[in-house]
Amino acid sequence: MVVREHVLSERTPGSGRRPAPRREVPARPPETPAPDPDRPPEDTVTPGWAARRLGLKPSEFELAVQLGEVRTVATGTPWLRRVARAELRRLAEAEGGPEGLRERLRLVGAGQGAALLGISPGRFGRLARCGCFTPARFYVNRYQAVVWLYLATELRQFAEREPELLTGRAPAGLLAMLAAGMDLRARGWRGRRAEQLIGQTDDPWERVAVWAALLAPDELDQAVEDPRERACLRRLRPALISTGAHAPGSRDAAAGMLTVDDPVELRTCRLSLAAALATARAARPAPLLGPAEAVPGGVETWPPREGVEPSGAATTGTTATTGATTALTGTMATTGTTEAMGLKPAGRPVREPASRTGRPRPLWRRLLGRA
């Protein structure tokens, strides 16, 4: 009875015929998707995953990549890097392991550095201003003073290489540099950062963008006359520092460390840019980047800009630190003169026009004389 009901239920309504039995079609094997050239290989991981695997903080891992302690691979997107799993295995099996890597990344300030070298903080600051050792990083404290940080391993190497500079009277050349008010800390950090970025890319236009990132807008306009090339370089320029490394109130002081202001350094930077630009032009024309191809890490946006054009052609202004700041390494002079910052000479009344939006202009705009 059950079978009969089942048979009747399968008959077509309104007819006495039984429907033809269905043919079973064998399942097709799953198709293998075509390889995506833009998809990163599976044998690589993101920097965040690699940092957690090595037990490093994001800032420590970023420093390790900058110093070449952790090798990265390109992804096809400008300045976006990944880490190979083989590199993680190499670091885990290396002598000292992750703990040894963390020790090589240890940063010290002026006080700790002076104690490490066995000298006074004042002498340490004088040696640092003369460029005897190069800062690896900096930050702006709550008093708007720039604090430089140094690698402990490099300080130990300096003590072994130049023990005579740690005791007795300083050489005449160093004394003359100090008497002239020379401070090479910012210049040394910028040069070091440029070398790190150039070592991370083989693209000729990205290498030009590294030197372009160190120049003020007016200097870049003079060095690169083609507006199409300038627009390309502004979109390709890398972030010299992490955008979240400093509080919003201290970004003006940090921005002054990112732009070349010394005449000798400016001449060297422009020569390097000209050589890299000639190599890039010989390789291929400047690539056109659309709005969707923004560079990860971002173009430097310090000081903050108003009215940025969507084409990416807007540029940052030249910023100088305001007032002398006393850090652990000693007193730092302000960068730039009154004329270079666009201020009117003392004794004349300064009229403060409102911005285009009707609100008071930010301090960095008033210093640069911008609307």
Side-chain angles (χ1 to χ4, degrees), residues 296-345:
V299 180
E300 294 297 341
T301 57
W302 297 350
R305 299 169 292 175
E306 297 179 3
V308 178
E309 300 178 0
S311 62
T315 57
T316 57
T318 306
T319 320
T321 53
T322 58
T325 55
T326 305
L328 295 175
T329 52
T331 304
M332 295 179 58
T334 55
T335 58
T337 61
T338 302
E339 293 77 11
M341 291 189 294
L343 299 178
K344 296 183 179 180

Side-chain angles (χ1 to χ4, degrees), residues 341-343 352-353 360-370:
M341 291 189 294
L343 299 178
E352 296 294 344
R361 295 185 305 164
L363 177 60
W364 71 272
R365 289 186 177 274
R366 294 202 301 270
L367 293 177
L368 295 176
R370 290 191 173 187

Side-chain angles (χ1 to χ4, degrees), residues 132-155:
C132 294
F133 28 81
T134 304
R137 184 166 284 180
F138 73 91
Y139 70 92
V140 181
N141 62 15
R142 59 179 178 176
Y143 303 107
Q144 303 299 302
V146 177
V147 180
W148 298 101
L149 301 176
Y150 307 86
L151 286 169
T153 54
E154 292 184 353
L155 294 181

Side-chain angles (χ1 to χ4, degrees), residues 13-283:
S15 66
R17 300 185 208 179
R18 183 178 300 173
R22 298 178 182 177
R23 292 187 305 172
E24 295 184 1
V25 179
R28 299 176 61 182
E31 297 182 358
T32 303
D36 186 359
D38 297 331
R39 184 178 180 181
E42 296 182 357
D43 58 348
T44 63
V45 298
T46 62
W49 195 94
R52 291 190 297 270
R53 185 65 180 269
L54 295 174
L56 299 177
K57 299 177 181 178
S59 58
E60 293 175 334
F61 185 83
E62 181 184 19
L63 180 63
V65 173
Q66 293 174 1
L67 298 177
E69 294 286 351
V70 177
R71 296 190 289 263
T72 57
V73 295
T75 62
T77 302
W79 308 115
L80 183 62
R81 314 282 293 183
R82 291 176 67 91
V83 183
R85 295 181 183 272
E87 177 67 6
L88 297 179
R89 291 192 294 268
R90 183 190 70 85
L91 293 171
E93 298 171 359
E95 183 179 358
E99 291 297 331
L101 174 62
R102 191 176 295 107
E103 176 60 27
R104 294 193 296 273
L105 299 176
R106 188 164 73 94
L107 296 173
V108 296
Q112 294 175 320
L116 186 63
L117 297 180
I119 58 179
S120 65
R123 191 183 189 99
F124 183 92
R126 291 190 291 271
L127 292 175
R129 288 195 292 273
C130 291
C132 294
F133 28 81
T134 304
R137 184 166 284 180
F138 73 91
Y139 70 92
V140 181
N141 62 15
R142 59 179 178 176
Y143 303 107
Q144 303 299 302
V146 177
V147 180
W148 298 101
L149 301 176
Y150 307 86
L151 286 169
T153 54
E154 292 184 353
L155 294 181
R156 296 192 197 96
Q157 294 171 1
F158 171 78
E160 297 174 358
R161 187 175 62 253
E162 305 287 349
E164 64 278 1
L165 295 180
L166 304 180
T167 58
R169 184 176 175 83
L174 295 183
L175 295 176
M177 294 171 63
L178 294 172
M182 187 171 295
D183 190 345
L184 300 179
R185 289 175 292 188
R187 176 179 175 180
W189 176 84
R190 285 190 292 264
R192 179 178 207 156
R193 189 72 184 102
E195 292 178 1
Q196 293 168 352
L197 290 168
I198 290 176
Q200 291 181 7
T201 180
D202 295 328
D203 186 85
W205 285 102
E206 291 180 11
R207 292 191 169 190
V208 180
V210 173
W211 298 111
L214 300 175
L215 293 178
D218 55 342
E219 294 291 344
L220 181 60
D221 293 344
Q222 297 176 13
V224 184
E225 298 180 355
D226 190 342
R228 180 176 177 271
E229 293 179 343
R230 288 200 304 269
C232 170
L233 295 178
R234 284 168 182 147
R235 296 301 301 275
L236 285 177
R237 57 189 292 186
L240 299 179
I241 55 178
S242 300
T243 54
H246 303 270
S250 62
R251 290 181 177 180
D252 288 345
M257 301 294 104
L258 308 181
T259 306
V260 173
D261 54 2
D262 180 73
V264 177
E265 183 186 5
L266 178 60
R267 184 165 56 251
T268 303
C269 185
R270 290 196 55 168
L271 289 175
S272 301
L273 185 143
L277 187 59
T279 303
R281 286 170 175 169

